[in-house]
Amino acid sequence: MVTRLRDVLDFVERKWPSSGAESWDSVGLVSGALDAEIRRILLAVDAAQLTVQEAVDTSADLLLIHHPLLLRGVTTVAETTAKGSLLAQLIRADVALIAAHTNADVVQTGTSAALAAALDLEGSKPIVPAASDPERGLGRIGVLREPTTLGALARKLAGILPSTATGIRAAGSFERVVETIALCGGAGDSLLNDPAVLGADVYITSDLRHHPASESLEQSIARGTGPALIDTSHWASEWLWLDYAARELQEEFPQLQVEVSELRTDPWDFAIPQ
Ligand SMILES: [Zn+2]
């Protein structure tokens, strides 16, 4: 039986309904013909030169990405632009492109849930439950099977996540005991003041900038309580989810080759510890 792009797209919509995406997001089919035959799917966090080249070189028929290639208004796909060049390479090689972004963040096997599962959190539930379904929503909070220290948790994360130049950064004493863990795959500074995060022992997310991070820490000093912070690579935290997505696609379409790109699209190449 031939698998068409429309079959995969139907599954994507069932698995990660586009109705679950944030209003500013742009998810679903980016390029490709619904009748195109699909034999091989490559999953990646980003459509970047590395991953698009890999999709073309390995004869993928579909590149499924987490970050939408086209999110803000585009007025040209000239090949002198990065996005135009990537799209042209995909279209010429008959590689369709699908994005599953915030619609994949909120499901029970989404980006934050994958990170929670990797840390073996018990009773993990969304930090911001969806109004329609409290099992879905942004971020996750749960409890470790045994308390540990902030330092040991950061080390554990370093082992769980794929390697990146900037590694794992933490704010808080290395010896601080942590048990209740709040986390959000990708950039999660919008949840820093959520009551669930404020009540956790540590908040793990990515892309924490100076002001949001320092304000959170200062607020904890003023209140006498508040979470330690762990900052990870955005790409690494969301890359974990690709394995879940690949497994789900493979179960639905056992006849297809489904593979996760191992190529790092985290932007940083090296860091100098001082
Ligand atoms: Zn992201």
Side-chain angles (χ1 to χ4, degrees), residues 45 66-67 101 185-187 234 238:
V45 173
H66 184 51
H67 292 146
H101 191 212
H234 184 139
E238 295 185 326

Side-chain angles (χ1 to χ4, degrees), residues 113 186 206:
S206 305

Side-chain angles (χ1 to χ4, degrees), residues 50-73:
L50 277 175
T51 51
V52 164
Q53 191 68 51
E54 182 181 19
V56 172
D57 288 348
T58 59
S59 305
D61 306 295
L62 168 63
L63 177 61
L64 194 149
I65 51 169
H66 184 51
H67 292 146
L69 179 64
L70 306 179
L71 188 57
R72 300 195 176 86

